[in-house]
Amino acid sequence: VSRSQITRGARITQGDVTSATGPAGTGRDDDGCPVLHVDMDAFYASCELRSRPDLAGLPVIVGGDGSRGVVTAATYEARKYGIHSAMPMSRAKRLCPNVVILPPDFALYSEVSAGVMAIFRDVTPLVEPLSLDEAFLDVAGAVRRLGPPAVIAEGIRARVHDEQGITCTVGVASTKFVAKLASTHAKPDGLLVVPADRVVAFLHPLPVGALWGVGEKTEEVLLRLGLRTVGDVANTPVDTLVRALGPAAGQHLADLSWGRDPRSVEVPEGEKSIGNEETFPRDVDDPEVIRRELLRLSEKVASRLRAQGFAGRTVVIKVRFADFSTITRSRTLRSPTDVGRDIYATARDLYDALGLQRARLRLVGVRVEGLLDADEAPRQMLLDEPELGWREAEQAVDRATARFGRGTVRPARLLGPGEHDGWGGTPVAPRPR
DNA sequence: TCTGGGGTCCTTCAGCTC
DNA sequence: TCTGGAGCTGAAGGACCC
C-alpha cells in the first residue's frame, strides 16, 4: 500500500451516503456497484502544475489570453474567487487580478490522458472515455482479481497519483449516471460509493440541474413547472415531462430521477464527425477573408481525417454572426472525401449560397460528418480524372508536414503578406500533373 | 459579463418514394 | 389517374457535455 493510498483512504467515507469502509475494502456496500466514473481534478491546470510546482497553491487558470478567450480550466484556488470554466477571460481577471494565466498545451494533456487511460485499461478492457480527463469503467470482471469496486477505485487513484502526478476523484455506483454524480459530489481528490439501495435517497434532494442532460434551457422549463429537485421530477407524471421536453428527454429524465440508467459501459467505436472552428479576434465582414478562413479550416479538417484514416460524406459549415446568433448549412456529397480541396469547394458553395453580402461574422467553422474508413470509402471516378490527383498531392503535404512542421506547404492563398518561396518568385499552389 | 472549441444527440421539417 | 399516409433521408437548429 503506497502512501497516497493511505492518505486518501481516509477520505473514502466522505459524504453522507458513502459506506465503503476504508482502503482495505472490508465492507460490501459496493456490492452491485460495478461502474466507476473516474474524473481528473482540474485536469489541464493539474498537468501544468506538474512542471510548475512553484505555482502550487496559487490561483491558476488555463485558457486563451486573447481578447475573446475563455477559461478552459481553473485550479481550486482560482475557483474560490468565483472563476469557473467557460467564463470569459476578461471577467476571470476582474474577479482575481493576481490570477496566473497559462496557455493551453493540448499535446501535454493528450500525453497525460493516454497514461491515465492505460492505467484504466490495466484494470478492465471495458473503458469508455468521455473526454481527455474522465472515463467510465465497468469493473465487474476485475473483482475476483483485484477486489471489490471500492478497493479497485482506491487502487486507481493511487496509481494515477504515483505514476502521473495528478489527483482524481472516483464515483462508484450501480449505473453510469449515479457514478458520475458520485464523483462530482466527492471532488476534489475523493472517492464516493453510492450503494444500490441508497440511490434514491442520494438522488432526490439534488437540484434538477444535477440530472444528466439538464442544462440552462431545460432547467428553466422544469423550474417553470415548479420542479426544483430530482425528487420533484421523480414524482411528476411522465406524460407531463414528455409534453414539456419531448418524448426522448421526458422519458430519459423520468428514468434518471429514479436512478434507472440502462446504458452499459461501452468501448467507443470511433468518432462520428471531425471539425474545426475559429473565432476571429475581431468581427469580419470581408467575404474574401472569410473564404480564406474556410479554406484554412477545410485543409485542417482534411488533414485530421487523413491522419485518422477517415473520409466523410457530409460537409457542414457553421456561421456565427456578431450578435452571437448561429446558423449551420450542410451538403451531403455523392461519395466520401478526405481531400481539403473538395471540402473547401463545398464549404465555399454553402457560404456563398447564404448571400451574406457584408454581414459581420465572429466565427466560422467546418465539420465533416458521416465518417467511414477511408480505405473502404467508395470513390467517384471521373472520366477525365488524372491518375494522381489532389488526394495524392495532399498526402504529399502530410508527409512534408510530418518532416518539416505544420505550415511548411500550404495553399498559396493562405500565405501571409510578404511570404513567398524564398527565391523572389511568386507563391506556388500544389498542382498535381 | 459577454460568451472557445471539440464533439454528440435529439427534434422538426421538407422532399421523395412507394 | 389522383390522393393520402407511411417511412426514409437529408438538412437545419437547438441543447447539452467537457
Side-chain angles (χ1 to χ4, degrees):
Chain A
V1 178
S2 72
R3 188 188 58 79
S4 59
Q5 268 182 291
I6 293 168
T7 51
R8 279 200 304 284
R11 299 185 59 121
I12 201 168
T13 54
Q14 86 170 60
D16 57 357
V17 176
T18 180
S19 308
T21 51
T26 49
R28 297 317 322 274
D29 284 332
D30 53 359
D31 266 350
C33 290
V35 180
L36 271 55
H37 178 254
V38 190
D39 199 350
M40 304 300 125
D41 302 322
F43 180 58
Y44 296 171
S46 302
C47 291
E48 298 290 346
L49 259 56
R50 292 194 321 174
S51 52
R52 293 289 305 273
D54 53 307
L55 297 177
L58 298 177
V60 176
I61 56 179
V62 176
D65 200 12
S67 57
R68 289 175 155 173
V70 297
V71 176
T72 308
T75 59
Y76 286 86
E77 287 80 6
R79 294 182 199 193
K80 284 179 192 161
Y81 291 85
I83 296 173
H84 56 80
S85 61
M87 172 182 282
M89 207 54 114
S90 53
R91 183 157 180 237
K93 282 191 269 194
R94 268 198 306 278
L95 288 170
C96 179
N98 297 327
V99 72
V100 179
I101 300 170
L102 300 174
D105 178 357
F106 287 100
L108 169 67
Y109 312 147
S110 296
E111 186 188 320
V112 178
S113 175
V116 168
M117 297 294 165
I119 293 174
F120 298 166
R121 292 190 184 101
D122 261 2
V123 172
T124 170
L126 289 175
V127 176
E128 181 181 334
L130 295 180
S131 62
L132 283 180
D133 75 321
E134 61 177 306
F136 286 114
L137 282 68
D138 184 333
V139 298
V143 168
R144 271 190 152 182
R145 186 165 50 93
L146 301 172
V151 172
I152 294 174
E154 197 51 32
I156 288 172
R157 279 167 32 75
R159 278 194 65 187
V160 168
H161 180 267
D162 294 346
E163 295 174 25
Q164 296 298 330
I166 57 176
T167 62
C168 64
T169 298
V170 186
V172 182
S174 52
T175 62
K176 286 161 79 169
F177 166 58
V178 178
K180 180 150 173 59
L181 276 185
S183 70
T184 305
H185 222 67
K187 274 193 159 295
D189 195 17
L191 167 60
L192 182 62
V193 179
V194 180
D197 60 354
R198 301 290 305 277
V199 164
V200 171
F202 172 67
L203 287 178
H204 282 196
L206 298 175
V208 287
L211 289 168
W212 216 353
V214 176
E216 199 183 328
K217 306 285 178 183
T218 309
E219 189 171 11
E220 269 175 30
V221 173
L222 294 173
L223 290 178
R224 272 205 299 278
L225 290 173
L227 310 178
R228 288 185 163 69
T229 65
V230 175
D232 293 340
V233 174
N235 292 306
T236 299
V238 179
D239 286 351
T240 305
L241 298 173
V242 167
R243 267 198 306 278
L245 304 168
Q251 185 62 56
H252 178 65
L253 289 195
D255 287 340
L256 291 185
S257 68
W258 286 105
R260 295 189 297 258
D261 181 7
R263 297 165 304 173
S264 54
V265 175
E266 280 172 18
V267 180
E269 290 170 14
E271 277 130 317
K272 299 189 170 162
S273 71
I274 287 179
N276 285 96
E277 59 190 58
E278 190 136 316
T279 299
F280 297 113
R282 274 191 299 277
D283 295 344
V284 171
D285 63 1
D286 181 346
E288 262 317 297
V289 174
I290 292 160
R291 287 192 194 101
R292 217 158 43 227
E293 184 64 9
L294 288 172
L295 171 61
R296 198 180 66 80
L297 293 168
S298 299
E299 296 277 338
K300 199 168 168 184
V301 169
S303 157
R304 288 177 62 201
L305 285 169
R306 290 192 297 272
Q308 296 184 52
F310 287 126
R313 242 186 109 204
T314 304
V315 177
V316 188
I317 64 161
K318 176 171 168 179
V319 171
R320 177 166 288 157
F321 296 96
D323 67 356
F324 217 72
S325 61
T326 308
I327 58 171
T328 60
R329 291 293 183 267
S330 61
R331 182 177 299 163
T332 300
L333 309 173
R334 274 189 290 182
S335 54
T337 184
D338 57 2
V339 179
R341 196 178 152 88
D342 295 342
I343 296 169
Y344 170 63
T346 310
R348 189 198 51 215
D349 280 354
L350 290 167
Y351 166 72
D352 288 345
L354 289 172
L356 294 181
Q357 310 296 338
R358 293 193 77 95
R360 286 167 55 230
L361 306 187
R362 74 179 281 137
L363 167 147
V364 288
V366 176
R367 175 167 298 280
V368 173
E369 300 177 347
L371 303 188
L372 48 110
D373 201 324
D375 295 334
E376 293 167 15
R379 299 206 179 276
Q380 183 78 26
M381 298 302 288
L382 301 175
L383 284 175
D384 60 347
E385 190 170 64
E387 191 183 334
L388 295 175
W390 280 97
R391 185 162 195 261
E392 287 70 23
E394 292 186 12
Q395 285 170 332
V397 172
D398 292 340
R399 289 192 291 275
T401 299
R403 191 163 170 197
F404 301 110
R406 185 159 290 284
T408 310
V409 184
R410 59 193 191 277
R413 288 184 69 193
L414 296 182
L415 291 175
E419 285 187 283
H420 50 70
D421 62 5
W423 285 273
T426 49
V428 179
R431 195 172 56 193
R433 301 210 0 169

